[in-house]
Amino acid sequence: MFEVDMEGVPQRASTGSLPGRGRVAELLREAHARYAPLRDGVVADYIPVLERADPDRFGLSLIGVDGAAEEVGDAADAFTIQSISKAFVFALVCEEIGHHAVHERVGVNNTGLPFNSVMALELNLGSPMNPMVNAGAIATTAMMPAPSHSARWDAILHGLSRFAGRELAVDTEVYESEMRTNTRNRAIARLLEGYGRLDEDPGTIVEMYTRQCALLVTAHDLAVMGATLADGGVNPVTGERVVAEEVARDTLTVLASCGMYERSGEWLFEIGLPAKSGVSGGIVAISPGKGALGAFSPPLDPAGNSVRGQRACAFLSRALGLNLFASGVTSRESTA
Ligand code: GLU
């Protein structure tokens, strides 16, 4: 995948709490300075409007479970949430109908195939396998219980806004651009219907899924949304409980195995955190009980993960002691 040069940066164990705010701010600035010059990756263009994104944009935000924020760079720049919405809609649907129902219909195993794979559905006899690929996300959106489609959309919009702690809005231009080109997602929804995994009208659900993906957020918003999961379902900025503790736990579990597309295993190996990325260049990485990182930088690797965002998360996971699997600083690493 990639090496993270930790020369001169002490690595922390994952137990306990975040370092002091001053140290967090210093390490965020260091991560930004290290990776801002990177020129790898390509801005997504399969949704035509996205190709206009400025490849130099790079913002990082970290919000602790105490609600305190540290930010650097373009952390207030707005971009569309895209696939990251899948994590939070999954949480909202589990909150409403319980995780067993979602598990049964959608699954929780990685497909090992790209996020928009039709073959993955066929190979698995119509099971989307998990809620973080398009098939699973479309099926999950359709499972949000509501008396009408407009009530379903209101529940999704209101729920995602409670995660963010502010009223989110749709980028109409991105939404319309994707609606003109999302033939593949329409095909996936039809196929799900054919396999009996979609009870709602496929066209209406794809439209709603596309709208949820076009909600505008910032790296700061992603960090607040992630910190809500880190805080057992309570938004640490507004103090509002958005989902139950078990739902926050279940969502993080699915993110650990499926959040970073077909690179989820490598991501967990390098970074050790549940996370979700989206094709606009956003990443949210969550450290349960501590807080969450929101990152934004448009150039992507071939799997669709932000190049600078991944590097920054890898660096900060080590330097801040966020990796779930690191119970101590190894002597080899600490002297490297
Ligand atoms: N709206 C995008 C799609 O369905 C989201 C993909 C992503 O961010 O991975 O293709």
Side-chain angles (χ1 to χ4, degrees):
M1 198 181 171
F2 52 79
E3 292 292 315
V4 182
D5 176 13
M6 297 300 291
E7 183 82 45
V9 185
Q11 298 181 63
R12 287 173 61 97
S14 298
T15 49
S17 48
L18 287 173
R21 304 311 303 181
R23 182 66 181 144
V24 171
E26 191 185 333
L27 287 166
L28 278 182
R29 283 198 299 275
E30 176 158 357
H32 193 272
R34 277 176 177 239
Y35 303 118
L38 268 184
R39 288 289 169 268
D40 300 346
V42 185
V43 172
D45 61 1
Y46 79 99
I47 300 172
V49 167
L50 293 188
E51 76 182 341
R52 286 199 233 129
D54 177 353
D56 292 333
R57 294 279 156 201
F58 182 27
L60 296 170
S61 171
L62 185 139
I63 305 218
V65 289
D66 58 357
E70 297 297 341
E71 324 208 296
V72 62
D74 304 311
D77 270 30
F79 55 94
T80 51
I81 189 169
Q82 296 300 340
S83 248
I84 301 169
S85 66
K86 296 167 178 172
F88 298 95
V89 172
F90 170 76
L92 294 171
V93 172
C94 287
E95 176 77 7
E96 292 299 323
I97 63 172
H99 78 277
H100 287 300
V102 189
H103 181 193
E104 210 170 283
R105 174 158 288 205
V106 180
V108 291
N109 281 316
N110 202 303
T111 63
L113 290 166
F115 66 95
N116 58 0
S117 174
V118 173
M119 193 164 68
L121 258 185
E122 289 286 52
L123 286 174
N124 293 296
L125 304 173
S127 167
M129 299 298 282
N130 72 71
M132 302 302 142
V133 291
N134 288 8
I138 290 167
T140 304
T141 293
M143 290 175 88
M144 173 65 91
S148 65
H149 288 305
S150 79
R152 178 168 294 115
W153 170 248
D154 286 348
I156 290 173
L157 176 63
H158 184 58
L160 293 183
S161 298
R162 285 164 68 221
F163 269 113
R166 71 177 183 94
E167 213 46 51
L168 299 177
V170 171
D171 182 325
T172 322
E173 200 186 1
V174 172
Y175 164 74
E176 285 171 357
S177 177
E178 186 166 3
M179 280 303 288
R180 282 193 290 275
T181 53
N182 64 355
T183 47
R184 203 177 171 87
N185 286 341
R186 290 171 196 270
I188 287 173
R190 280 273 175 217
L191 202 51
L192 282 172
E193 185 188 33
Y195 276 112
R197 302 248 177 192
L198 198 66
D199 299 333
E200 305 293 334
D201 172 62
T204 310
I205 293 301
V206 170
E207 186 272 325
M208 200 173 300
Y209 161 78
T210 308
R211 218 172 334 151
Q212 95 191 23
C213 288
L215 286 168
L216 283 166
V217 290
T218 63
H220 171 88
D221 291 328
L222 291 183
V224 177
M225 295 174 90
T228 303
L229 294 176
D231 195 26
V234 175
N235 183 319
V237 177
T238 64
E240 186 188 0
R241 173 165 293 286
V242 183
V243 291
E245 247 172 62
E246 309 82 81
V247 170
R249 178 203 63 203
D250 294 343
T251 306
L252 295 178
T253 313
V254 175
L255 292 187
S257 59
C258 309
M260 301 301 280
Y261 306 113
E262 66 274 27
R263 295 273 172 88
S264 299
E266 279 166 286
W267 167 278
L268 207 56
F269 186 68
E270 286 292 339
I271 296 157
L273 289 175
K276 184 75 199 88
S277 64
V279 291
S280 292
I283 297 182
V284 60
I286 300 111
S287 183
K290 289 187 179 171
L293 271 166
F296 168 57
S297 180
L300 309 176
D301 73 5
N305 298 319
S306 166
V307 172
R308 290 193 192 97
Q310 279 183 85
R311 300 285 179 134
C313 287
F315 173 81
L316 289 168
S317 169
R318 287 168 172 77
L320 294 171
L322 306 179
N323 189 318
L324 294 184
F325 305 102
S327 48
V329 183
T330 67
S331 54
R332 191 165 60 86
E333 282 179 333
S334 60
T335 54

